[in-house]
């Protein structure tokens, strides 16, 4: 494998790359020294290559006879474990960097050169702003609490009013229903005496009508009898004819 | 056998080298034009029709970080030539330094078996499978961006990730019903 061969010549090649600028076209000024950033970058790339070569060597060495399906089943677990470890490592690195930064700043502040003075001014300003931020946050929290209280009481009032209104509404319904019932009763009662009087009068009138009708019919019959008994010719005499006609009009049987 | 080996050369500072293998030699040109415009990393694009690469360029060729096989789904020859080229690649490349890119997947004349075959190939090799739109400039740009993401990781320029790790996250998986006939 080529990789073992390149391992041996790696160091000397690395020197070559580090000392001269190599194929990188962006360093067109042709300086001989590489900046720390470049060195870190090439270090990163080299470590990546070495890792991959190591993986390949390891794969060649450990020739376990496992099928790809088994490996596929195990793979997601390994990947998630790897991810967890990576995140942990990353977070730890970040906190380490933070600590380093703070330490460096502290060291710097202890010295008294103009840079340190400027740093001190900046850090004092930062502190002042932070305390102001805290103060404002506290104020806003208090205001928020007051608002919440106010909203609660308002909501409570609203509910109480609603309750009362609903109670009133139901009362109104009940009262109106009762009133309606009373009115209906009154109406019925009023109808009764009127109709009673009316009925009496009506009956009396009808009785009179019957009486007079009977009288009329009787009179008619008597007259008809007289005419027929007299054997008088009532067709010729106009007055007699009229009387006879009216006798016919009146219904005999009613 | 002239295998293309991944570790026979050293990486260049802030450089990434990509090899585009395409039988038709069309899409690779447009991809290359946009890839070299990348500013944060100096990208070298090498184009090839098939593997193996000619021996005379062996010395001047830098370390290839990513090999991309571009297949046009409308032609069977494309797929076959890509498959044949795979033999000339060192197995070390398949730990995250190979990518498959497929164009014309939306074309109605593409038989579904070909896409399934490409999928099975990519899944068996644990490589990512990218779909690209090669007719529109937007499609070319987006394909370039995705390739650049994979390339930067494969070249070791991203601090926390290695090509192997990324390939585990992006590899092509087969849907369980790939053997069943699809809706047509």
């Amino acid at each position: 494998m080529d990789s073992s061969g390149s391992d041996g010549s790696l160091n000397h090649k690395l020197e070559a790359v580090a000392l001269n600028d190599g194929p990188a076209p962006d360093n067109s000024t042709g300086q001989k020294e590489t900046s720390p950033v470049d060195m870190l970058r090439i270090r990163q790339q080299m470590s990546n290559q070495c890792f991959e070569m190591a993986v390949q060597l390891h794969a060649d060495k450990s020739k376990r006879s496992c099928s790809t399906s088994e490996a596929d089943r195990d793979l997601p677990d390994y990947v998630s474990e790897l991810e967890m470890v990576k995140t942990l490592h990353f977070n730890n690195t970040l906190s380490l960097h933070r600590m380093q930064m703070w330490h460096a700043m502290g060291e710097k502040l202890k010295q008294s050169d103009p840079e340190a003075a400027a740093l001190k001014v900046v850090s004092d300003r930062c502190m002042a702003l932070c305390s102001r931020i805290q103060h404002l946050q506290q104020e806003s929290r208090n205001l928020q609490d007051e608002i919440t209280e106010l909203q609660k009481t308002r909501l409570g009032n609203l509910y109480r009013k609603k309750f009362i209104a609903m109670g009133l509404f139901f009362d109104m319904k009940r009262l109106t229903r009762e009133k309606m019932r009373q009115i209906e009763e009154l109406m019925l009662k009023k109808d009764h005496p009127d109709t009673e009087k009316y009925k009496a009068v009506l009956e009396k009138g009808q009785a009179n009508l019957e009486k007079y009708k009977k009288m009329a019919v009787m009179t008619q019959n008597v007259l008809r009898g007289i005419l027929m008994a007299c054997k008088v010719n009532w067709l010729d005499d106009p007055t007699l004819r009229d009387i006879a006609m009216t006798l016919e009009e009146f219904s005999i049987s009613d | 056998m002239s295998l293309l080996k991944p570790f026979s050369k050293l990486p260049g500072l802030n450089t990434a080298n990509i090899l585009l293998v395409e039988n038709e030699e069309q899409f690779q040109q447009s991809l290359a034009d946009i890839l070299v415009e990348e500013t944060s990393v100096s990208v070298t694009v090498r184009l090839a029709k098939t593997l193996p690469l000619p021996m005379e360029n062996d010395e001047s060729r830098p370390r290839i970080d990513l090999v991309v096989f571009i297949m046009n789904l409308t032609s069977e020859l494309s797929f076959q030539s890509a498959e044949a080229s795979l033999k000339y690649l060192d197995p070390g490349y398949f730990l995250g330094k190979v990518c498959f890119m497929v164009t014309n997947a939306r074309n109605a004349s593409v038989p579904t078996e070909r896409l399934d075959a490409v999928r099975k190939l990519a899944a068996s090799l644990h490589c990512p499978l990218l779909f690209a739109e090669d007719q529109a400039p937007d499609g070319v740009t987006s394909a370039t961006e995705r390739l650049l993401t994979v390339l930067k990781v494969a070249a070791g320029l991203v601090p926390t990730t290695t090509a192997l790790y990324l390939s585990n996250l992006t590899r092509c998986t087969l849907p369980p019903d790939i053997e069943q006939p699809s809706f047509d």
Side-chain angles (χ1 to χ4, degrees):
Chain A
M1 273 297 290
D2 252 359
S3 43
S4 47
S6 62
D7 257 340
S9 54
L10 205 65
N11 286 335
H12 123 90
K13 270 198 182 155
L14 179 61
E15 279 179 29
V17 167
L19 280 180
N20 79 14
D21 285 307
D26 42 337
N27 242 331
S28 51
T29 53
Q31 10 171 16
K32 279 292 179 178
E33 351 176 321
T34 36
S35 61
V37 177
D38 287 342
M39 288 213 288
L40 285 171
R41 278 204 195 125
I42 196 79
R43 189 205 76 117
Q44 166 67 35
Q45 286 177 269
M46 286 307 302
S47 71
N48 193 48
Q49 168 137 340
C50 292
F51 167 75
E52 291 180 343
M53 294 202 289
V55 164
Q56 193 153 0
L57 287 173
H58 183 76
D60 282 342
K61 269 188 223 146
S62 63
K63 297 229 189 249
R64 294 188 305 160
S65 56
C66 77
S67 61
T68 40
S69 58
E70 262 184 48
D72 273 341
R73 249 177 290 140
D74 293 336
L75 192 63
D77 297 332
Y78 290 145
V79 167
S80 46
E81 198 182 316
L82 191 63
E83 210 165 294
M84 273 199 314
V85 171
K86 271 188 189 246
T87 335
L88 196 65
H89 168 73
F90 193 63
N91 288 339
N92 289 343
T93 314
L94 279 178
S95 48
L96 180 67
H97 286 168
R98 273 201 297 271
M99 292 201 296
Q100 284 175 332
M101 276 276 291
W102 280 119
H103 178 75
M105 279 177 50
E107 291 290 306
K108 189 77 186 173
L109 282 176
K110 278 189 215 152
Q111 309 165 2
S112 44
D113 39 349
E115 283 182 352
L119 202 60
K120 193 149 196 336
V121 165
V122 168
S123 66
D124 283 341
R125 198 170 135 72
C126 279
M127 294 272 279
L129 286 171
C130 280
S131 53
R132 187 157 161 71
I133 287 172
Q134 268 189 337
H135 182 72
L136 288 171
Q137 274 179 341
Q138 185 61 39
E139 263 188 46
S140 78
R141 233 174 291 152
N142 291 342
L143 285 171
Q144 190 66 39
D145 287 340
E146 275 179 41
I147 289 173
T148 324
E149 282 303 320
L150 209 65
Q151 278 180 338
K152 266 197 268 188
T153 46
R154 231 180 259 171
L155 206 64
N157 285 345
L158 201 71
Y159 273 132
R160 225 170 292 138
K161 276 194 217 151
K162 262 197 171 163
F163 236 36
I164 291 170
M166 283 190 50
L168 274 173
F169 178 63
F170 283 129
D171 264 352
M172 280 300 290
K173 259 194 151 169
R174 194 170 43 89
L175 286 169
T176 39
R177 222 178 295 139
E178 283 179 7
K179 269 268 138 45
M180 286 292 292
R181 240 181 278 141
Q182 284 176 6
I183 289 172
E184 272 176 19
E185 281 172 30
L186 273 172
M187 290 252 309
L188 285 171
K189 269 191 232 147
K190 253 200 329 199
D191 281 349
H192 231 77
D194 274 1
T195 43
E196 274 182 2
K197 260 195 268 168
Y198 185 61
K199 258 192 192 161
V201 164
L202 194 65
E203 277 174 14
K204 232 173 154 189
Q206 275 183 334
N208 279 349
L209 188 67
E210 289 298 322
K211 197 172 69 176
Y212 289 128
K213 244 191 183 171
K214 278 196 192 126
M215 278 170 53
V217 164
M218 252 197 286
T219 334
Q220 269 188 337
N221 286 340
V222 163
L223 208 58
R224 216 180 288 129
I226 292 173
L227 272 176
M228 284 192 4
C230 289
K231 288 196 177 61
V232 73
N233 195 359
W234 48 269
L235 282 165
D236 297 328
D237 199 353
T239 48
L240 275 178
R241 201 176 58 212
D242 286 334
I243 291 168
M245 286 303 155
T246 55
L247 285 179
E248 296 296 327
E249 275 175 24
F250 224 114
S251 61
I252 301 171
S253 63
D254 53 330
Chain B
M1 281 256 273
S2 52
L3 291 176
L4 187 63
K5 296 197 167 73
F7 303 124
S8 49
K9 301 197 183 167
L10 288 174
L13 175 62
N14 219 23
T15 323
N17 307 308
I18 188 170
L19 173 67
L20 301 174
V21 180
E22 187 189 1
N23 197 32
E24 288 81 17
E25 294 184 308
Q26 280 177 333
F27 191 34
Q28 53 184 194
Q29 191 56 53
S30 24
L31 277 177
D33 291 334
I34 305 189
L35 275 170
V36 294
E37 286 170 17
E38 174 67 21
T39 47
S40 59
V41 177
S42 71
V43 180
T44 313
V45 184
R46 300 188 75 95
L47 308 176
K49 190 171 152 111
T50 56
L51 294 176
L53 298 174
M55 293 287 287
E56 16 337 320
N57 294 343
D58 237 356
E59 283 307 310
S60 59
R61 193 183 305 133
R63 178 188 88 139
I64 299 290
D65 296 311
L66 185 65
V67 181
V68 183
F69 288 96
I70 302 177
M71 286 182 263
N72 191 341
L73 275 184
T74 47
S75 102
E76 180 71 25
L77 180 61
S78 193
F79 175 52
Q80 282 169 351
S81 110
E83 245 188 321
S85 306
L86 281 174
K87 290 196 279 281
Y88 295 97
L89 212 54
D90 187 87
Y93 266 108
F94 291 102
L95 296 172
K97 290 182 182 274
V98 171
C99 181
F100 288 97
M101 182 166 266
V102 160
T103 60
N104 278 335
R106 289 190 283 196
N107 202 320
S109 63
V110 169
T112 41
E113 298 85 35
R114 201 171 294 155
L115 181 57
D116 285 349
V118 171
R119 264 216 168 113
K120 280 189 197 155
L121 181 68
S124 65
L125 295 169
H126 294 262
C127 296
L129 177 63
L130 302 176
F131 290 87
E133 164 72 58
D134 59 340
Q135 305 296 334
D138 281 342
V140 179
T141 322
S142 56
T144 320
E145 277 166 26
R146 292 158 89 190
L147 277 183
L148 270 172
T149 321
V150 183
L151 177 62
K152 281 188 201 167
V153 173
L157 298 166
V158 177
T160 48
T161 323
T162 57
L164 189 57
Y165 186 56
L166 188 67
S167 78
N168 279 329
L169 298 176
T170 55
R171 67 196 187 102
C172 179
T173 48
L174 287 174
D177 58 351
I178 198 164
E179 292 299 325
Q180 293 167 17
S182 57
F183 294 102
D184 250 341

